[in-house]
Amino acid sequence: MANKKVYIGTGRRKRSIAQVRMTVGSGKITINGKDINEYLPFPTLVMDLMQPLEVTKTKDKFDIEITAKGGGFSGQTGAARLGITRALLQYDEDGKVSNDESFRKILKQEGFITRDARIKERKKYGLKKARRAPQFSKR
């Protein structure tokens, strides 16, 4: 096997972390050793994960291996999407594509480069959840 260049990207979302290893190949995507359609329970999550590849028209150009930990399927999908975006940016730097059709410009316009910083708010004492107060009783 020839020594292929590996592009790596790490993504985070909610409580999930995804490490993405991308190599030039046929378009096979695996998450934690399973096929993407086998691992993710909903087609909408698969669509969400594939968006950066579809926007940059590189869907069948890379083999992607994802290791996802923590959180649920939605968080892992969001983390993997950011990881794929970062790996694509790394690939683009090596290719030295002109500024007009650079992946960075395309992905930035679609909002894939920005990390979604929303996480669960911590519970406060005296409350049932982060903001939910105990039920008020007049008598």
Side-chain angles (χ1 to χ4, degrees):
M1 188 172 113
N3 206 358
K4 289 185 178 180
K5 177 96 171 92
V6 179
Y7 302 97
I8 296 171
T10 303
R12 292 179 187 84
R13 168 90 171 93
K14 293 185 177 181
R15 291 236 169 231
S16 304
I17 298 171
Q19 295 171 315
V20 177
R21 292 172 47 94
M22 194 169 80
T23 54
V24 176
S26 60
K28 197 173 124 220
I29 300 175
T30 57
I31 304 176
N32 294 343
K34 291 183 181 177
D35 182 61
I36 185 173
N37 296 309
E38 195 181 314
Y39 185 80
L40 295 173
F42 309 113
T44 51
L45 292 176
V46 176
M47 272 178 20
D48 192 36
L49 189 129
M50 300 291 277
Q51 279 180 327
L53 297 169
E54 287 170 2
V55 175
T56 55
K57 297 176 182 70
T58 54
K59 195 173 181 180
D60 299 325
K61 197 174 178 181
F62 298 106
D63 286 338
I64 300 173
E65 201 176 300
I66 301 166
T67 307
K69 293 183 187 122
F73 289 117
S74 177
Q76 287 183 357
T77 302
R81 186 171 89 165
L82 182 61
I84 290 170
T85 301
R86 288 179 174 170
L88 282 169
L89 291 175
Q90 198 178 42
Y91 166 78
D92 202 30
E93 283 176 16
D94 282 7
K96 299 285 188 259
V97 183
S98 70
N99 201 28
D100 296 336
E101 65 255 7
S102 74
F103 286 172
R104 179 171 265 300
K105 188 176 182 184
I106 297 164
L107 293 166
K108 185 79 173 168
Q109 282 176 340
E110 296 292 325
F112 296 143
I113 294 176
T114 310
R115 190 239 197 257
D116 192 343
R118 294 177 295 173
I119 56 168
K120 188 171 181 172
E121 190 176 337
R122 80 171 199 86
K123 183 195 175 303
K124 280 73 165 196
Y125 59 86
L127 301 179
K128 290 194 177 289
K129 291 168 76 181
R131 300 183 183 203
R132 169 76 169 107
Q135 187 171 3
F136 174 74
S137 172
K138 200 175 240 181
R139 292 172 201 37

